[in-house]
Amino acid sequence: DMYQNHRAIGEAIKSYPREELFLTTKLGMEELLPAQVDGAVPRFLKELGTDYIDLLLIHWPNPDVNLADTLEAMVKWKERGEVKAIGVSNFVRSHLESLA
């Protein structure tokens, strides 16, 4: 999302069978509140022109956001089937331990 290339990627992949692709995107630091996740995922799907995202990541931890709440919002999208897997990037051990 931060690279603003969802639409370009959606255009580039539209001629490929979706099941042959593994599509990953990330939530930026500024969109980690649950309401922001709930706004971002449908937008990502629309921009990418797909029914689901294979992997949705938190790009960077945000110390001002309760990341357990963020993960809970992401799990909701996973349970709906619009996100197949969730994860994190750029986290260190202490970030992960704070989620336990």
Side-chain angles (χ1 to χ4, degrees):
D1 194 38
M2 70 183 289
Y3 305 117
Q4 300 179 354
N5 63 2
H6 283 158
R7 290 187 197 282
I9 290 170
E11 187 64 29
I13 66 173
K14 71 180 182 181
S15 62
Y16 292 91
R18 178 63 182 91
E19 62 276 1
E20 292 183 17
L21 302 172
F22 191 90
L23 192 56
T24 302
T25 194
K26 300 176 184 179
L27 296 161
M29 284 182 67
E30 67 286 341
E31 56 192 353
L32 297 179
L33 295 173
Q36 293 169 313
V37 173
D38 289 344
V41 172
R43 181 173 55 79
F44 293 173
L45 294 169
K46 181 178 179 181
E47 291 172 354
L48 291 163
T50 188
D51 294 333
Y52 65 94
I53 295 165
D54 294 290
L55 177 59
L56 179 65
L57 299 171
I58 298 173
H59 193 173
W60 288 95
N62 183 334
D64 298 325
V65 174
N66 181 336
L67 294 176
D69 292 341
T70 305
L71 287 174
E72 186 176 316
M74 293 168 72
V75 165
K76 181 181 81 172
W77 288 99
K78 184 177 182 295
E79 289 172 346
R80 292 176 58 170
E82 293 169 90
V83 171
K84 301 298 181 186
I86 60 174
V88 299
S89 64
N90 301 304
F91 276 50
V92 296
R93 178 178 288 195
S94 63
H95 296 128
L96 296 173
E97 288 171 345
S98 73
L99 295 171

